[in-house]
Amino acid sequence: MIRQLRRKFVLINMALVTALMVVICLMLVISTRDSLRADSQAVLERVIGETEPSIWPFADGGRRQEVALPYFTVVINPLGEVVVTSGQFYALEDEQVLTDIVAASFASPQQTGTLAEYGLAYLREESGFGWRVAFVDTTYADSTLRRTIWNTVTVGLGALVAFFAVSVLLARWAVRPVEQSWRQQRQFVADASHELKTPLTVILSSADLLRGWDGEDRGELARWTENICAAGGQMRELVEQLLLLARSDSDGASRQGFSAVDLSDLAQTALLMFEPVAFEAGKVLEDGAVEREITVSGDASRLKRLLDILLDNAVKYAAPGGHIRVTLRREGRRALLCVADEGEPIPKEELEAIFRRFYRGDRSRSSPGFGLGLAIARTIAAEHGGRLWAASEEGWNRFFCALPLPHGTERRVKIASSGKT
């Protein structure tokens, strides 16, 4: 599919450019041809009445220059005799050739035209003493036109080859986001299928066992039923998370229904909820510094979910007995939330990868779940016009979320130069 898209991109570009190049080349050739013909015609009209070598007058200081194109003029008297009256740079020693040239000029009904077999253009004019005919050599014009055509074709073909190479590179560059999206979609489907496979297998296996149950052991019936309910709940949770991500991908960062949300209050509430969870896990949850009355525009339920995801992630991955610290402060025109956990550092190469859907880090940081939490949290931050990123230093893994403050609520504060949370 991607290869076909690239080919189509290149073919469309080449078709458009080729058509444009053909039009430009034709216009150039036609313009050159008409210009050369106009020069020849101007010489014919200038010299047809001359009886001596002709000169062109110029306006720049009165300088004069002889006509550069070879020409000659003849007079045909009433008796049919041909007399050469003037000429320049043109030798006519063969009278038979001259007679044939004059006869050829009268063979056409048009008073002006070209004699391709002789390489001449002519202009005839009737006078009171017969006919006057002027001839000018078109060899130079024909040579110039052929050279123009050759150069135009050569340059045009070279330009097409160069543009073909550029089109191939542009096609790769232009299709790269589509290719990446296609690859991520395939990976997403594969990962989702893999995550759904385990609970589905549990449900089907338990259902088969129930089908063959003889009704004697009530304990096994309860266990199989519990397995089905647990696996079904796991599947429902995964499907809900997938639907949330799918809606975010299709709708984008829609801000309809947003209202003023007290982010400070949400953070304090989340801390109270996760304090017993952290205690049960043997971790210490600290209120680092939650600044009061920080209000953002958003959806309270989604922002609560973002906080829950970050705190749940910190409880899962903090070292045994480690500290978890939450801070919230104003920083210029944004609210900066930081959830930090004290534990094994996240490798630098994984600081961005952990936000990918279904991503699982090394086994030391593995835990139950689908690998969608941080992806959902980043999506929620993006929907609110903010961003979410991670940093790892000095034994702390920090997750930062910056959200824009409504206009008029900013208050600049001095940030410690140490950068610690």
Side-chain angles (χ1 to χ4, degrees):
M1 175 183 174
I2 300 300
R3 185 175 298 177
Q4 292 177 353
L5 187 60
R6 286 177 181 169
R7 289 177 179 173
K8 187 177 294 185
F9 183 90
V10 172
L11 287 175
I12 291 175
N13 279 350
M14 291 304 298
L16 293 175
V17 172
T18 301
L20 183 62
M21 289 290 294
V22 169
V23 171
I24 293 175
C25 291
L26 285 176
M27 291 178 63
L28 179 62
V29 171
I30 292 174
S31 175
T32 303
R33 182 199 64 184
D34 292 344
S35 177
L36 293 172
R37 287 181 177 179
D39 291 344
S40 299
Q41 190 67 23
V43 172
L44 290 172
E45 293 174 356
R46 177 71 178 85
V47 303
I48 190 169
E50 298 292 336
T51 57
E52 60 182 14
S54 180
I55 52 178
W56 282 106
F58 287 87
D60 52 343
R63 291 182 297 171
R64 302 164 73 85
Q65 179 181 343
E66 293 184 347
V67 176
L69 294 176
Y71 74 94
F72 65 95
T73 58
V74 299
V75 173
I76 299 94
N77 59 30
L79 299 177
E81 296 175 341
V82 178
V83 179
V84 178
T85 58
S86 67
Q88 186 170 302
F89 311 118
Y90 207 97
L92 292 171
E93 292 84 4
D94 193 332
E95 293 185 3
Q96 183 60 45
V97 173
L98 177 61
T99 303
D100 294 340
I101 291 174
V102 173
S105 67
F106 279 89
S108 173
Q110 298 179 350
Q111 289 189 342
T112 183
T114 58
L115 306 175
E117 62 272 24
Y118 298 105
L120 295 170
Y122 70 89
L123 173 64
R124 68 174 184 263
E125 185 180 89
E126 191 174 5
S127 65
F129 301 97
W131 290 86
R132 300 183 65 86
V133 187
F135 297 91
V136 64
D137 193 342
T138 61
T139 304
Y140 172 76
D142 294 339
S143 176
T144 301
L145 184 60
R146 285 194 298 269
R147 187 165 58 251
T148 300
I149 295 174
W150 171 256
N151 291 339
T152 302
V153 171
T154 303
V155 173
L157 290 177
L160 288 177
V161 171
F163 190 81
F164 175 77
V166 173
S167 295
V168 172
L169 295 177
L170 286 176
R172 292 180 179 177
W173 174 78
V175 178
R176 189 175 300 164
V178 179
E179 184 178 5
Q180 183 178 1
S181 177
W182 175 256
R183 189 184 302 113
Q184 289 177 348
Q185 181 180 359
R186 294 181 61 184
Q187 185 65 38
F188 179 78
V189 172
D191 292 339
S193 301
H194 177 75
E195 294 292 343
L196 287 170
K197 182 178 179 181
T198 300
L200 188 59
T201 302
V202 172
I203 291 174
L204 292 175
S205 300
S206 300
D208 287 338
L209 291 172
L210 284 174
R211 184 183 300 171
W213 182 60
D214 55 9
E216 296 179 358
D217 190 346
R218 305 288 298 182
E220 290 205 2
L221 174 62
R223 182 165 56 86
W224 295 336
T225 305
E226 183 65 26
N227 288 343
I228 291 176
C229 291
Q234 187 179 3
M235 289 183 65
R236 182 178 65 181
E237 181 185 357
L238 175 58
V239 170
E240 288 175 351
Q241 292 181 359
L242 293 177
L243 286 174
L244 174 61
L245 291 171
R247 291 194 196 100
S248 300
D249 290 342
S250 61
D251 298 338
S254 174
R255 300 196 176 192
Q256 293 183 357
F258 278 13
S259 60
V261 177
D262 190 335
L263 190 60
S264 301
D265 186 59
L266 283 181
Q268 290 289 358
T269 303
L271 284 169
L272 291 175
M273 290 180 57
F274 274 88
E275 188 174 1
V277 177
F279 178 79
E280 289 291 334
K283 319 290 173 66
V284 180
L285 181 58
E286 301 177 1
D287 178 358
V290 175
E291 191 174 325
R292 303 301 300 171
E293 298 181 356
I294 295 181
T295 303
V296 298
S297 177
D299 185 297
S301 61
R302 287 178 178 262
L303 291 174
K304 178 181 179 302
R305 184 161 193 172
L306 184 149
L307 283 163
D308 291 345
I309 290 172
L310 294 181
L311 283 168
D312 180 67
N313 183 75
V315 171
K316 285 180 180 178
Y317 297 128
H323 289 68
I324 301 169
R325 188 178 299 161
V326 177
T327 61
L328 176 64
R329 65 176 181 265
R330 293 180 179 87
E331 188 177 276
R333 296 183 177 180
R334 61 180 185 172
L336 184 63
L337 170 72
C338 178
V339 178
D341 65 90
E342 191 177 23
E344 182 178 348
I346 303 174
K348 288 185 178 181
E349 60 272 13
E350 293 187 13
L351 288 175
E352 185 63 26
I354 57 178
F355 292 100
R356 293 205 304 260
R357 299 171 184 181
F358 294 108
Y359 180 81
R360 299 296 181 87
D362 56 61
R363 297 181 62 182
S364 63
R365 290 182 59 88
S366 62
S367 65
F370 305 110
L372 292 175
L374 290 177
I376 293 174
R378 173 169 278 189
T379 299
I380 294 173
E383 288 176 347
H384 288 75
R387 74 185 182 99
L388 179 65
W389 72 97
S392 183
E393 58 183 4
E394 300 177 3
W396 287 86
N397 296 312
R398 296 178 172 88
F399 289 83
F400 296 94
C401 180
L403 298 173
L405 292 170
H407 292 294
T409 62
E410 304 93 336
R411 181 168 60 85
R412 296 188 177 277
V413 297
K414 184 176 180 181
I415 307 301
S417 59
S418 61
K420 295 182 180 180
T421 305

